[in-house]
C-alpha cells in the first residue's frame, strides 16, 4: 500500500519502520520541522515535507500519529481532494469521531506499546486495537494491521478509553514507581540495577497469576510498623509520602475484597 | 551446614529449597502449625516441629523467616543454650539490632525478591543483602550466601531500610498498578493478557534507560484533556481517582526536574 505518514515521533517512527519492512511504500513523512521529518523520511525512503499543501494525493492511506491536541486540525488540512483514501490515527485516547464530517473513510489503529526512540520493539507481538467507520476503511485497516501485527482486536472508541486508562496504570504509573525506587536507592548510593531481578519477576508473575494473587509486602496485611517507618523515610517529600500512604491503603482494601 | 529453619512461609520455602539444593542439611522446620511445617519439612527431609522447646541444639545456623511482629520473641525463645550458633533473619525491614543482647553471633540475610508459593525462582540470580555482627557470623553468612546466590552485597541496616522501601515501590506498588489496570479492563470485558507485552516492555526498558528517560504518556507533558477525561472514568472510586491525579502530578514534576 502507498502510505503518507503524518507525524515523525516515537509511534510514527516504529510504525513506519514496521510498515516498510512489511513491504508497504511510505511515500511521504510530514512533520512541523525538517529536523524531525528528514531522518525518518530518509530511513523509510520517503519524501520529507513540512507543509501539508505539498501532501501527495496518491496515497491510499493517510496515517496520523501526532499529538492529540493538533490531530483534528491536521486532518482538516489534509482532507480536501482525498475523498477516496482511508484516514487513520494511532491515538489511544482519541475517538473515531475525530474524523466525523471531515473525511469519508476512516479508522483508528492503536498499537498499545511504550515506544522509545532508542529501543527496538517487535511489532508483530504488539496488540493493535482497530476501529473503522465503513467497509472500505475496515478492509484497508485489517489488511494493514495483519501485515505488521499478529495480535489484532476490534475495539470501540468507548472501550478504547478504558484500555488507554489501563495502559497508563500498567506502563506510565508502573514506570514512575520504578523512578521513585531509583531515586530512593540513588540517595543511598545503591545502584538501581540491584532492583532489576525484582522488577522482572514482578512482571513475570502476572503472566501466570492475577495481580491480586501475586501481591506481597507490608501493605497486604497493613503492617502498621513497616508502613509507619517507611512513611517516615519519605518525610522530605510530602507528595511521595501521600502516594505511599494511599497506595498502601488501596492495596489493603483490594486484598480484603 | 546444619540449619534449623524457623518459619515455613514463602521466603522460608524458597530459601529452604535453595539451601537443600546447595547441599546443606536443613534439620528442622519450625512453624506454629503442623499444617504449614510438615509439607516443607517433608520436602527438605527435615523434622517438623511446632514447639521451640523441641528445637535442636545441633544446628550451626538458626535461620528465622517469620513475620516481623513475632521475630524477636521467637529469637528470645530459641536463644538459650545455643551461644555458639549463628542466628540469621531474612527480613528487609528489620534491623540487625533485633538480635542485640539476646544472642552472640548474628546477621541478616535479605534475599530481595517477590516469592509466591506457586512460582519457582532462580535463587542464584536473586540479589542478597548481608550484614553480620562479628567475624564468625560474617564468615558463616558469606559462605551460606555464596552457596546459593551469585549476587551478594554487604549493606547496613540503615541503608537496608531504604532498599526495602525501594522494593515496595518497584514491586508491591507496581503490582498494584497492574491490579488496577486489570480491574479497569475486566469491567469492560477486555482480557488482562492484552496488557502483558506492554508490561514486559515497560520492565525491559529500564534495563537500558533510566526510568526517567523511559517515561511516556499523558502525564509527562501534563495533557489536561487526557488527564481530565481519564479521571472522569475513575469517578466511581474516589481513592483511585486521587491516586491517578497524584501519580500524574508526580510524573510531571519529576519530568521538569
Amino acid at each position: 500500500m502507498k502510505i503518507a505518514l503524518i507525524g515523525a515521533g516515537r509511534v510514527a517512527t516504529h510504525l513506519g519502520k514496521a510498515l516498510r519492512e512489511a513491504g508497504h511504500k511510505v511515500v511521504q513523512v510530514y512533520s512541523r520541522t525538517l529536523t524531525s521529518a528528514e531522518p525518518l523520511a530518509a530511513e523509510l525512503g520517503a519524501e520529507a515535507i513540512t507543509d501539508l499543501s505539498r501532501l501527495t494525493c496518491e496515497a491510499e492511506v493517510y496515517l496520523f500519529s501526532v499529538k492529540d491536541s493538533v490531530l483534528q486540525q491536521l486532518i482538516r488540512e489534509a482532507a480536501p481532494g482525498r475523498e477516496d483514501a482511508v484516514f487513520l490515527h494511532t491515538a489511544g485516547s482519541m475517538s473515531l469521531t475525530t474524523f466525523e464530517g471531515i473525511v469519508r473513510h476512516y479508522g483508528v489503529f492503536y498499537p498499545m506499546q511504550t515506544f522509545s526512540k532508542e529501543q527496538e520493539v517487535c511489532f508483530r507481538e504488539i496488540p493493535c486495537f482497530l476501529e473503522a467507520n465503513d467497509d472500505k476503511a475496515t478492509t484497508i485497516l485489517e489488511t494493514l494491521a495483519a501485515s505488521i501485527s499478529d495480535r489484532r482486536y476490534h475495539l470501540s472508541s468507548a472501550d478504547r478509553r478504558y484500555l488507554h486508562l489501563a495502559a497508563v496504570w500498567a506502563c506510565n504509573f508502573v514506570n514512575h514507581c520504578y523512578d521513585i525506587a531509583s531515586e530512593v536507592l540513588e540517595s543511598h548510593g545503591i545502584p538501581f540495577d540491584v532492583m532489576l531481578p525484582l522488577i522482572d519477576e514482578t512482571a513475570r508473575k502476572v503472566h501466570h497469576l492475577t495481580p491480586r494473587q501475586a501481591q506481597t509486602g507490608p501493605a497486604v496485611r497493613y503492617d502498621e510498623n513497616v508502613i509507619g517507618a517507611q512513611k517516615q523515610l519519605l518525610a522530605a517529600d510530602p507528595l511521595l509520602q501521600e502516594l505511599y500512604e494511599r497506595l498502601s491503603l488501596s492495596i489493603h482494601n483490594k486484598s480484603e475484597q
Side-chain angles (χ1 to χ4, degrees), chain A residues 29-235:
Chain A
V29 173
Y30 163 87
S31 180
R32 237 169 3 101
T33 65
L34 265 187
T35 332
S36 84
E38 253 177 359
L40 181 57
E43 194 166 351
L44 303 179
E47 182 192 6
I49 61 170
T50 58
D51 183 347
L52 282 182
S53 69
R54 293 189 48 218
L55 186 66
T56 178
C57 291
E58 307 285 301
E60 294 158 85
V61 174
Y62 293 85
L63 185 49
F64 291 74
S65 185
V66 295
K67 275 192 289 192
D68 294 357
S69 56
V70 300
L71 176 59
Q72 199 172 46
Q73 180 54 33
L74 289 174
I75 296 167
R76 276 186 205 287
E77 289 177 34
R82 297 177 183 89
E83 286 75 14
D84 290 339
V86 173
F87 282 62
L88 302 175
H89 77 65
T90 62
S93 53
M94 297 296 278
S95 164
L96 183 67
T97 58
T98 310
F99 294 106
E100 212 171 61
I102 312 175
V103 295
R104 192 178 298 159
H105 311 291
Y106 51 89
V108 178
F109 178 88
Y110 173 46
M112 192 179 63
Q113 189 49 284
T114 171
F115 297 102
S116 305
K117 290 234 166 173
E118 304 83 357
Q119 184 136 342
E120 295 296 320
V121 293
C122 173
F123 219 99
R124 294 225 71 83
E125 293 168 6
I126 299 177
C128 294
F129 296 87
L130 314 179
E131 187 183 18
N133 80 311
D134 65 7
D135 287 350
K136 177 170 183 177
T138 302
T139 306
I140 295 273
L141 177 57
E142 280 179 355
T143 308
L144 200 71
S147 71
I148 58 174
S149 169
D150 294 328
R151 303 189 62 178
R152 305 175 304 278
Y153 305 84
H154 284 269
L155 197 73
S156 69
S157 290
D159 282 345
R160 197 173 55 250
R161 292 186 306 156
Y162 288 91
L163 179 74
H164 189 235
L165 173 63
V168 166
W169 282 97
C171 171
N172 306 149
F173 290 173
V174 159
N175 185 70
H176 189 54
C177 293
Y178 298 158
D179 194 5
I180 295 168
S182 162
E183 271 198 344
V184 168
L185 293 174
E186 199 173 283
S187 66
H188 289 79
I190 306 168
F192 178 65
D193 70 0
V194 302
M195 219 32 82
L196 295 174
L198 182 63
I199 284 173
D200 292 345
E201 177 65 13
T202 304
R204 200 156 42 222
K205 273 169 89 167
V206 295
H207 284 248
H208 307 292
L209 304 171
T210 68
R212 192 74 47 92
Q213 290 167 333
Q215 191 58 281
T216 58
V220 178
R221 53 184 189 275
Y222 212 81
D223 182 329
E224 292 195 27
N225 286 328
V226 176
I227 291 171
Q230 296 205 327
K231 268 180 60 189
Q232 275 308 308
L233 301 180
L234 294 169

